[in-house]
């Protein structure tokens, strides 16, 4: 659909997104705050309530809002804070459809983790969380348990960067490729070398060696996901 000047007319979904953005900016809305009800949004946007309802369903699927039944002050969807969930679903779907390759996922991890670990080494943040994950990996009795704590170790690195968006992307990547991570541990058979890599990363962050930490991340991911591996 187009406007009279030939431009594409925004869909109701896009208009609702724009309205949410406007309200967040103008009113300082945050997670937990309530949006106007369907009728009010429809009046504001000059669209049908069915269009608003469908748009809110899409936003709920994306993890932007949660639906809320009711009348009066209890009406209207609530803004949520689940950025990783929608990202995880999208990455998993694209990997499953071969629209994205595991190599692309690993390369993205490498970029995020190297940038994050440099910041962590400069600030000294995340050391306690990394140490706890290291100890838990030492006690792991199965590949699944090892990967669970391995995820915690690497998330501690990205969260130490202080950038919530890169941390959310990293969390989504790790959740989406969980099965591949377990397969990598099974393939290696012994987690001793992986743990040696983890301790090298932790030591570099502790010592403030940013370059050494970045190199350790690269070597670790090359060991876990060799370039020649399919995927």
């Amino acid at each position: 659909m187009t406007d009279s000047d030939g431009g594409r007319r925004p869909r109701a979904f896009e208009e609702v997104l724009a309205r949410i953005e406007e309200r967040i900016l103008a009113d300082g809305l945050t997670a937990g705050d309530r949006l106007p009800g369907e009728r009010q949004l429809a009046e504001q946007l000059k669209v049908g309530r069915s269009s608003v309802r469908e748009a809110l369903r899409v936003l709920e699927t994306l993890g932007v809002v949660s639906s809320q039944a009711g009348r009066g002050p209890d009406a209207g969807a609530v803004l949520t804070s689940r950025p990783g969930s929608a990202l995880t679903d999208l990455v998993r779907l694209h990997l499953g459809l071969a629209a994205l390759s595991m190599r692309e996922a690993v390369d993205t991890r490498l970029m995020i983790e190297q940038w994050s670990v440099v910041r962590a080494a400069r600030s000294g943040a995340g050391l306690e969380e990394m140490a706890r994950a290291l100890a838990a990996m030492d006690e792991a009795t199965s590949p699944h348990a090892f990967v669970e704590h391995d995820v915690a170790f690497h998330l501690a690195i990205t969260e130490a960067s202080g950038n919530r968006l890169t941390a959310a992307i990293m969390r989504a990547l790790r959740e989406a490729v969980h099965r591949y991570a377990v397969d990598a541990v099974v393939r290696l058979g012994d987690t001793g070398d992986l743990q040696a890599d983890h301790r090298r990363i932790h030591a570099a962050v502790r010592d403030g060696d940013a370059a050494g930490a970045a190199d350790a991340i690269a070597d670790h991911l090359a060991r876990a996901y060799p370039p020649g591996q399919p995927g």
Side-chain angles (χ1 to χ4, degrees):
M1 186 178 297
T2 61
D3 290 327
S4 58
D5 63 359
R8 185 178 65 84
R9 181 178 176 181
R11 293 174 295 175
F13 166 62
E14 294 169 330
E15 294 187 57
V16 172
L17 275 180
R19 177 64 63 184
I20 291 172
E21 182 179 6
E22 289 172 7
R23 290 186 63 86
I24 289 173
L25 293 174
D27 302 339
L29 296 180
T30 61
D33 290 335
R34 196 180 303 279
L35 295 174
E38 287 180 7
R39 177 178 295 176
Q40 187 176 350
L41 277 174
E43 291 173 353
Q44 290 174 348
L45 300 174
K46 295 180 172 43
V47 297
R49 289 184 66 177
S50 61
S51 296
V52 170
R53 191 175 301 119
E54 181 61 29
L56 289 174
R57 273 199 286 264
V58 173
L59 291 175
E60 185 172 14
T61 300
L62 293 173
V64 176
V65 302
S66 63
S67 62
Q68 180 71 51
R71 295 177 180 274
D74 292 327
V78 177
L79 289 171
T80 63
S81 180
R82 298 188 295 116
S85 60
L87 287 171
T88 300
D89 293 341
L90 287 171
V91 173
R92 184 183 292 118
L93 178 61
H94 283 295
L95 284 170
L97 294 173
L100 291 175
S101 69
M102 266 299 296
R103 179 48 46 192
E104 288 172 310
V106 172
D107 287 345
T108 302
R109 272 193 62 185
L110 177 62
M111 288 186 288
I112 291 174
E113 288 202 62
Q114 283 193 310
W115 180 83
S116 298
V117 84
V118 165
R119 289 174 67 94
R122 290 172 179 168
S123 68
L127 285 169
E128 291 184 8
E129 293 82 358
M130 293 166 66
R132 281 197 294 270
L134 273 171
M137 280 185 279
D138 283 336
E139 300 297 323
T141 57
S142 71
H144 284 277
F146 184 89
V147 168
E148 176 185 350
H149 301 300
D150 173 79
V151 168
F153 179 89
H154 289 276
L155 286 179
I157 294 172
T158 52
E159 288 171 357
S161 74
N163 187 307
R164 290 176 294 176
L165 180 57
T166 55
I169 294 171
M170 181 65 177
R171 189 176 296 108
L173 282 171
R174 290 309 308 261
E175 291 177 8
V177 303
H178 185 272
R179 174 173 60 86
Y180 299 92
V182 173
D183 289 346
V185 171
V186 171
R187 172 175 49 78
L188 290 170
D190 187 339
T191 58
D193 288 341
L194 294 178
Q195 278 293 71
D197 290 344
H198 289 145
R199 289 190 165 84
R200 179 184 164 199
I201 295 166
H202 182 265
V205 173
R206 181 196 62 211
D207 297 340
D209 181 3
D215 288 343
I217 287 286
D219 292 344
H220 174 62
L221 290 181
R223 183 191 308 280
Y225 305 99
Q229 286 291 116

